[in-house]
Amino acid sequence: MKQFFALFISLAMVSGGAGGQDLFGVSKRLWQPQKDEVYLQEVSEKIPTDKPVQSVAELDGKCYALISNKVYVLDNGELKPDHSAPSEIQKIQKENNLLWALTFNGIYLLDGKEWQKIDDKKYIDLCTLNGA
């Protein structure tokens, strides 16, 4: 019985090695393997900042960035402060083609070129649901 068991184990081990072979025998593939190289995203323009950018939004062809809780507008490759924006902004976000600024003491909306305070409550996020 021990000999039969040893023979069974030996055959199982040998046949297991055959399972790793190319069983379908494809000699010509329609594809070629590609080199595994690091993928680099395309960058059209880099704008250095002294501090991290907290959030970014685009509205009407203008790019807005939030740095140190202040809004900056991209102008000719340079981030310039938006002095009309409210202070201590936690996040800027575009929803329904409108730019919102969320603060701990209210929510603001950029209407054309002026920021308007919409509410005095603390907001941490926005979303659009069924277009509203």
Short mmCIF file of all heavy atoms in Angstrom, two decimals, residues 45 57-64 73-77 94 97 99 110 112:
data_model
loop_
_atom_site.label_atom_id
_atom_site.label_comp_id
_atom_site.label_asym_id
_atom_site.label_seq_id
_atom_site.Cartn_x
_atom_site.Cartn_y
_atom_site.Cartn_z
N GLU A 45 1.81 72.24 -19.12
CA GLU A 45 2.34 73.40 -18.42
C GLU A 45 2.45 73.07 -16.93
O GLU A 45 1.54 72.48 -16.36
CB GLU A 45 1.40 74.59 -18.62
CG GLU A 45 1.88 75.88 -18.02
CD GLU A 45 0.93 77.04 -18.32
OE1 GLU A 45 -0.10 76.83 -18.99
OE2 GLU A 45 1.22 78.14 -17.86
N ALA A 57 -10.43 74.15 -9.58
CA ALA A 57 -11.71 74.15 -10.30
C ALA A 57 -11.57 75.04 -11.53
O ALA A 57 -10.77 75.97 -11.55
CB ALA A 57 -12.84 74.64 -9.41
N GLU A 58 -12.37 74.75 -12.54
CA GLU A 58 -12.38 75.54 -13.77
C GLU A 58 -13.79 76.06 -14.00
O GLU A 58 -14.77 75.36 -13.82
CB GLU A 58 -11.96 74.65 -14.95
CG GLU A 58 -11.98 75.35 -16.29
CD GLU A 58 -13.34 75.32 -16.96
OE1 GLU A 58 -14.13 74.40 -16.72
OE2 GLU A 58 -13.62 76.26 -17.72
N LEU A 59 -13.87 77.32 -14.37
CA LEU A 59 -15.17 77.93 -14.68
C LEU A 59 -14.99 78.95 -15.79
O LEU A 59 -14.14 79.85 -15.68
CB LEU A 59 -15.77 78.60 -13.43
CG LEU A 59 -17.13 79.26 -13.62
CD1 LEU A 59 -18.19 78.19 -13.90
CD2 LEU A 59 -17.51 80.06 -12.40
N ASP A 60 -15.75 78.80 -16.84
CA ASP A 60 -15.74 79.73 -17.98
C ASP A 60 -14.34 79.96 -18.52
O ASP A 60 -13.94 81.09 -18.80
CB ASP A 60 -16.39 81.06 -17.59
CG ASP A 60 -17.85 80.91 -17.21
OD1 ASP A 60 -18.51 79.99 -17.74
OD2 ASP A 60 -18.33 81.70 -16.39
N GLY A 61 -13.57 78.90 -18.63
CA GLY A 61 -12.23 79.00 -19.20
C GLY A 61 -11.17 79.52 -18.25
O GLY A 61 -10.03 79.67 -18.65
N LYS A 62 -11.53 79.80 -17.02
CA LYS A 62 -10.57 80.26 -16.02
C LYS A 62 -10.29 79.13 -15.03
O LYS A 62 -11.21 78.40 -14.63
CB LYS A 62 -11.08 81.47 -15.24
CG LYS A 62 -11.13 82.74 -16.04
CD LYS A 62 -11.56 83.89 -15.15
CE LYS A 62 -11.58 85.20 -15.91
NZ LYS A 62 -12.00 86.31 -15.05
N CYS A 63 -9.04 79.01 -14.64
CA CYS A 63 -8.64 78.00 -13.67
C CYS A 63 -8.45 78.66 -12.31
O CYS A 63 -7.73 79.66 -12.19
CB CYS A 63 -7.35 77.32 -14.12
SG CYS A 63 -6.80 76.03 -13.00
N TYR A 64 -9.11 78.11 -11.30
CA TYR A 64 -9.03 78.61 -9.93
C TYR A 64 -8.31 77.57 -9.08
O TYR A 64 -8.57 76.37 -9.21
CB TYR A 64 -10.43 78.87 -9.36
CG TYR A 64 -11.19 79.94 -10.09
CD1 TYR A 64 -11.94 79.66 -11.23
CD2 TYR A 64 -11.17 81.26 -9.64
CE1 TYR A 64 -12.63 80.64 -11.90
CE2 TYR A 64 -11.86 82.26 -10.31
CZ TYR A 64 -12.59 81.94 -11.43
OH TYR A 64 -13.28 82.92 -12.11
N VAL A 73 -6.23 82.77 -9.20
CA VAL A 73 -6.71 82.59 -10.57
C VAL A 73 -5.49 82.49 -11.48
O VAL A 73 -4.54 83.27 -11.36
CB VAL A 73 -7.60 83.78 -11.01
CG1 VAL A 73 -8.11 83.58 -12.43
CG2 VAL A 73 -8.75 83.96 -10.05
N LEU A 74 -5.53 81.53 -12.39
CA LEU A 74 -4.43 81.37 -13.35
C LEU A 74 -4.56 82.43 -14.43
O LEU A 74 -5.58 82.53 -15.11
CB LEU A 74 -4.48 79.97 -13.96
CG LEU A 74 -3.36 79.62 -14.92
CD1 LEU A 74 -2.00 79.68 -14.23
CD2 LEU A 74 -3.59 78.24 -15.52
N ASP A 75 -3.50 83.23 -14.58
CA ASP A 75 -3.49 84.31 -15.57
C ASP A 75 -2.12 84.35 -16.22
O ASP A 75 -1.12 84.63 -15.55
CB ASP A 75 -3.82 85.64 -14.89
CG ASP A 75 -3.95 86.79 -15.86
OD1 ASP A 75 -4.21 86.54 -17.05
OD2 ASP A 75 -3.80 87.95 -15.42
N ASN A 76 -2.06 84.06 -17.51
CA ASN A 76 -0.80 84.05 -18.28
C ASN A 76 0.27 83.19 -17.62
O ASN A 76 1.41 83.60 -17.46
CB ASN A 76 -0.27 85.47 -18.48
CG ASN A 76 -1.16 86.28 -19.41
OD1 ASN A 76 -1.77 85.72 -20.33
ND2 ASN A 76 -1.26 87.56 -19.17
N GLY A 77 -0.12 81.98 -17.21
CA GLY A 77 0.84 81.04 -16.63
C GLY A 77 1.25 81.35 -15.21
O GLY A 77 2.20 80.76 -14.69
N LYS A 94 -16.70 73.09 -8.37
CA LYS A 94 -17.62 73.45 -9.46
C LYS A 94 -18.77 72.46 -9.48
O LYS A 94 -18.56 71.26 -9.55
CB LYS A 94 -16.88 73.43 -10.79
CG LYS A 94 -17.76 73.80 -11.98
CD LYS A 94 -16.96 73.75 -13.26
CE LYS A 94 -17.82 73.98 -14.47
NZ LYS A 94 -17.04 73.88 -15.70
N ASN A 97 -22.09 74.03 -13.26
CA ASN A 97 -21.46 75.14 -13.96
C ASN A 97 -21.41 76.42 -13.12
O ASN A 97 -21.50 77.52 -13.64
CB ASN A 97 -22.13 75.39 -15.31
CG ASN A 97 -21.15 75.99 -16.30
OD1 ASN A 97 -19.95 75.75 -16.22
ND2 ASN A 97 -21.65 76.77 -17.23
N LEU A 99 -19.25 78.08 -9.54
CA LEU A 99 -18.10 77.88 -8.66
C LEU A 99 -18.51 78.22 -7.23
O LEU A 99 -19.03 79.30 -6.96
CB LEU A 99 -16.92 78.75 -9.09
CG LEU A 99 -15.62 78.51 -8.33
CD1 LEU A 99 -15.13 77.08 -8.55
CD2 LEU A 99 -14.56 79.49 -8.77
N LEU A 110 -19.66 82.11 -6.77
CA LEU A 110 -19.08 83.09 -7.70
C LEU A 110 -20.10 83.32 -8.81
O LEU A 110 -20.34 82.45 -9.64
CB LEU A 110 -17.75 82.61 -8.27
CG LEU A 110 -17.06 83.57 -9.23
CD1 LEU A 110 -16.72 84.89 -8.55
CD2 LEU A 110 -15.81 82.93 -9.81
N GLY A 112 -20.63 85.39 -11.86
CA GLY A 112 -19.95 86.29 -12.79
C GLY A 112 -18.58 86.63 -12.25
O GLY A 112 -17.67 85.83 -12.32
#
